[in-house]
Amino acid sequence: MSPQSRRAAQPLYAMASPAAGVRRWRITHVVIGLLALAGGGFWLVQAMRHGAFVADPSGLTYVVASHPADGEKDVLPNIYVSANLNPGHSLDPETVDNNTVRLFRTIDQQLVPARVNTSAAGDNITLTPLEMLQPNTRYSFDVRGVKDSSGADVLTHTISFTTGAGAASNSYPVGFDKHDVPSDTNYYTALAVGPDHRLYAGTVDGKIIRRDIRPDGQLGPSRVIETVQRANDGPRLITGIAFDPKATADHLVLWISHGQFILNQHGKPSSVGATEWTGTISAVSGAELADYRDIVVGLPRSWRDHLNNQCVFGPDGALYWSQGSHTAMGAPDEKWGHGRPERLLSAAVLRLDPGKAPADKPIDARTPDGGGAYDPFAPDAPLTIYASGVRVGFDMIFHSNGSLYTGVNGSARGGNVPATPTDGNAPRRPDGKPYAGPPVLGLTVAEQDQPDLLLRLERGGYFGHPNPARGEYVLNGGNPTDKSDPLEVTAYPVGTRPDANWRPPAYSFGISASPNGMLEYKSDRRFFGGALDGKILVTRFSGGKDIMVLSLDERGNVAETITGIAGLTSFNEPLDLTQDPATGCVYVAEYAGGKLTLLRPITDVGRLASLKQTVFRQQVRPPTE
């Protein structure tokens, strides 16, 4: 999650007057680092990614790590640069700009045009070049003149790296024309095309905006639907929308994932934070989506903005979503809520069987560890844990290959990692068995950034984020051998094996990419000769600010990444996206831009062949290597 403008670089806040009524709720200052939306995802996204608040005893503020690393070679020409502060310190976002954070060609000091921003928590700087860097060229990255939140100078930081030769192609047979969609400014968070062939967009304050899709892909006038706001006596933060598989143009049913809307009158993070157990899954129906029903209430909510995220229906008719973590790395920490622990249903992908949901009242999902009574392990439970250890996945898709995918935002360094109980009294695990692994050492202020990942989710799998409430203790791949191991955590003693149910990722995006919106492009070979069919399109909200294309192998892992495609670059915090299967058009929610963008496929073969684009294709080794 990472913002382009300095103003947009702060967490989610708003000023509103409840007395004014639903129609007069007005956001005067909102930034989502989503889901982390500012600085690397929804404030939801980026605020989600940051760990424990631990002050450096020196009192100085400095860059503790950069990506790429100083002296690194063979760096991809489409790289973005990320720099993380020492734990416990944050930046003054007003001082982070193109004058204080620069990238330049080392040999002649030629500046590289770029977007610069900081994270919602202010502990990271991301610089994204506006164009691909030159191959086989040395570049320098310089931070000089930035202030921290106390007004003190951040120590000067300079690194250099060299790009590789790469495998750029200027004849890739895919390209889109990018068009702005005329509309009022809204902070869009979720998009879907309905069975009535209209575009539906959820907003940060709980509105649903409906627009007709014209034959050329452009959109008609907005129809604002305020059902969620009215039913909840004010704004709600919508994180996902999905049409019921049984919905038709004449019988619309839209499922909505939403949570508490944070207000702060002073434009700074709340000292109270979000209220726990305030997540909700609801459904609205009818021609004007005026009928409202809560299906699940009492879902866990982090002190910051990890909550119930985008929802998607599976081929089994069940509803799936990622329930965000409460901590940076599994154990309570100051920055992530002054000790709010993980809960039984947090940091997991949940599955809801709509056929088992009571018709007369919502499911209260508060579990016994929070004073409730819901048991996801009960034989006939309607809401269950499908996969665990998923830190926070903003969006997810069921691919035509039969796999369920989500992109997760990894934690920045500084989080705490839990240890196994000293008395051996571990709680029940999702597989119904007690913890039978060896003792696991806890880590305090872990000094290793965790990467953003693409996960291929499997029922019963564990995907690396510890949760002591479920007897899960090992962060990602542990440190099993003295060699380089998949997703290893080097602070662990050698011999620390990953959790018995751990599944390696399908792909690593690296640090601070903030992968959010996802879709599988489908056209039945009507567009681009099928060259894009079956590939995953994913927005990189923070680093990259583009749409990356992922090509899968027969095992469902990423075999190739493709960036630089015409029309899929240079967005202003792209958060979500959806495809209209009838036209092949893609719609993108640019969060910081407060707008929708239309991507229309280029169908003229001759024009495609003559496009001046530099597409970068990178082969990917299996994640277990």
Side-chain angles (χ1 to χ4, degrees):
M1 322 165 200
S2 300
Q4 174 184 349
S5 67
R6 292 191 299 271
R7 176 168 178 161
Q10 303 175 38
L12 166 65
Y13 352 102
M15 288 169 29
S17 171
V22 169
R23 288 186 178 275
R24 296 184 61 192
W25 279 90
R26 181 169 64 91
I27 302 174
T28 60
H29 186 184
V30 175
V31 178
I32 299 183
L34 207 82
L35 236 220
L37 280 177
F42 221 158
W43 168 52
L44 290 173
V45 177
Q46 195 51 348
M48 310 176 197
R49 36 183 326 117
H50 301 283
F53 186 93
V54 181
D56 188 305
S58 71
L60 299 174
T61 304
Y62 52 90
V63 173
V64 68
S66 299
H67 306 277
D70 188 26
E72 189 169 339
K73 298 180 180 179
D74 293 324
V75 172
L76 297 181
N78 60 347
I79 193 69
Y80 60 89
V81 185
S82 177
N84 293 335
L85 293 188
N86 50 324
H89 294 260
S90 60
L91 299 163
D92 174 2
E94 296 296 328
T95 67
V96 179
D97 56 31
N98 290 103
N99 295 317
T100 59
V101 180
R102 303 181 306 146
L103 180 67
F104 52 89
R105 196 165 53 198
T106 307
I107 192 171
D108 59 3
Q109 308 288 293
Q110 177 66 48
L111 282 174
V112 175
R115 287 195 177 100
V116 176
N117 54 262
T118 182
S119 65
D123 57 2
N124 167 276
I125 297 170
T126 302
L127 180 147
T128 303
L130 298 183
E131 296 181 356
M132 190 176 296
L133 301 180
Q134 296 175 357
N136 296 317
T137 303
R138 188 178 183 187
Y139 288 88
S140 296
F141 172 71
D142 186 80
V143 177
R144 190 181 304 264
V146 174
K147 303 283 187 181
D148 69 13
S149 55
S150 71
D153 291 330
V154 176
L155 297 185
T156 297
H157 176 79
T158 302
I159 65 164
S160 64
F161 59 88
T162 303
T163 55
S169 168
N170 56 13
S171 60
Y172 191 67
V174 173
F176 292 84
D177 286 323
K178 183 187 291 188
H179 302 273
D180 288 338
V181 175
S183 66
D184 296 332
T185 299
N186 280 287
Y187 294 96
Y188 297 104
T189 56
L191 303 176
V193 174
D196 55 353
H197 197 231
R198 291 165 166 166
L199 181 71
Y200 290 79
T203 70
V204 72
D205 59 342
K207 297 189 293 289
I208 300 292
I209 297 175
R210 179 170 68 191
R211 304 181 69 170
D212 291 337
I213 299 176
R214 294 170 174 163
D216 65 353
Q218 274 293 357
L219 302 178
S222 297
R223 163 76 169 95
V224 180
I225 298 170
E226 298 173 329
T227 305
V228 174
Q229 291 181 331
R230 289 195 183 96
N232 291 276
D233 298 321
R236 292 282 286 177
L237 172 57
I238 291 178
T239 53
I241 57 177
F243 277 94
D244 193 290
K246 298 178 181 178
T248 66
D250 297 325
H251 180 65
L252 297 174
V253 180
L254 181 67
W255 291 66
I256 303 172
S257 179
H258 57 104
Q260 183 184 23
F261 183 71
I262 303 299
L263 305 178
N264 189 300
Q265 294 184 350
H266 305 290
K268 294 186 181 297
S270 169
S271 60
V272 177
T275 305
E276 200 172 9
W277 312 108
T278 52
T280 303
I281 302 292
S282 306
V284 294
S285 58
E288 297 301 319
L289 298 181
D291 299 325
Y292 177 94
R293 176 189 169 202
D294 284 334
I295 309 297
V296 182
V297 299
L299 289 166
R301 169 68 181 268
S302 74
W303 185 84
R304 284 186 177 272
D305 261 336
H306 285 189
L307 66 163
N308 39 291
N309 298 319
Q310 293 257 12
C311 46
V312 60
F313 279 95
D316 57 355
L319 189 72
Y320 296 76
W321 68 88
S322 169
Q323 191 69 41
S325 72
H326 286 190
T327 66
M329 295 182 178
D333 53 67
E334 288 298 308
K335 196 170 186 178
W336 268 93
H338 306 287
R340 183 172 295 181
E342 297 292 353
R343 299 298 188 180
L344 187 57
L345 295 181
S346 65
V349 170
L350 304 184
R351 178 186 183 273
L352 173 68
D353 184 341
K356 294 181 179 179
D360 57 340
K361 63 179 180 179
I363 299 166
D364 186 347
R366 186 183 296 215
T367 47
D369 54 341
Y374 187 77
D375 181 6
F377 303 129
D380 205 36
L383 180 65
T384 55
I385 299 170
Y386 179 78
S388 62
V390 180
R391 185 174 185 268
V392 54
F394 175 64
D395 198 1
M396 57 178 55
I397 60 168
F398 273 95
H399 194 274
S400 57
N401 66 9
S403 296
L404 175 61
Y405 293 91
T406 189
V408 298
N409 284 255
S411 174
R413 64 185 59 208
N416 299 328
V417 185
T420 48
T422 55
D423 60 5
N425 187 22
R428 173 180 177 173
R429 287 163 58 84
D431 58 10
K433 302 175 183 178
Y435 179 76
V440 177
L441 178 72
L443 305 175
T444 301
V445 194
E447 290 298 312
Q448 184 178 340
D449 299 317
Q450 298 302 303
D452 300 340
L453 304 170
L454 179 74
L455 305 180
R456 183 165 61 88
L457 299 164
E458 300 174 7
R459 184 189 294 271
Y462 169 74
F463 292 89
H465 183 87
N467 187 337
R470 293 193 296 261
E472 298 165 334
Y473 303 101
V474 183
L475 178 62
N476 283 322
N479 191 12
T481 74
D482 59 1
K483 300 179 177 61
S484 178
D485 299 302
L487 228 61
E488 67 180 3
V489 178
T490 55
Y492 278 132
V494 173
T496 303
R497 301 189 61 80
D499 188 277
N501 293 328
W502 182 63
R503 306 290 193 271
Y507 175 68
S508 174
F509 292 94
I511 303 297
S512 300
S514 188
N516 290 315
M518 302 174 63
L519 64 82
E520 177 190 357
Y521 197 82
K522 299 178 180 179
S523 77
D524 295 325
R525 302 186 66 83
R526 290 180 298 128
F527 300 100
F528 315 122
L532 205 56
D533 288 7
K535 291 180 171 57
I536 295 177
L537 277 61
V538 55
T539 62
R540 294 195 295 180
F541 181 95
S542 181
K545 299 190 184 303
D546 60 0
I547 296 173
M548 174 182 271
V549 176
L550 307 177
S551 181
L552 305 177
D553 63 21
E554 67 281 356
R555 295 172 296 176
N557 290 321
V558 175
E560 182 184 46
T561 65
I562 309 165
T563 53
I565 294 174
L568 304 190
T569 64
S570 300
F571 294 97
N572 194 349
E573 295 183 356
L575 179 60
D576 197 21
L577 77 173
T578 192
Q579 181 194 356
D580 174 16
T583 64
C585 292
V586 173
Y587 298 90
V588 182
E590 295 192 56
Y591 186 78
K595 67 176 185 178
L596 300 176
T597 297
L598 163 65
L599 306 179
R600 185 183 295 130
I602 298 172
T603 56
D604 186 316
V605 176
R607 185 169 163 233
L608 268 178
S610 62
L611 275 180
K612 293 182 179 180
Q613 62 174 342
T614 303
V615 176
F616 193 86
R617 306 178 66 175
Q618 181 189 19
Q619 300 300 310
V620 178
R621 291 184 298 180
T624 54
E625 290 186 4

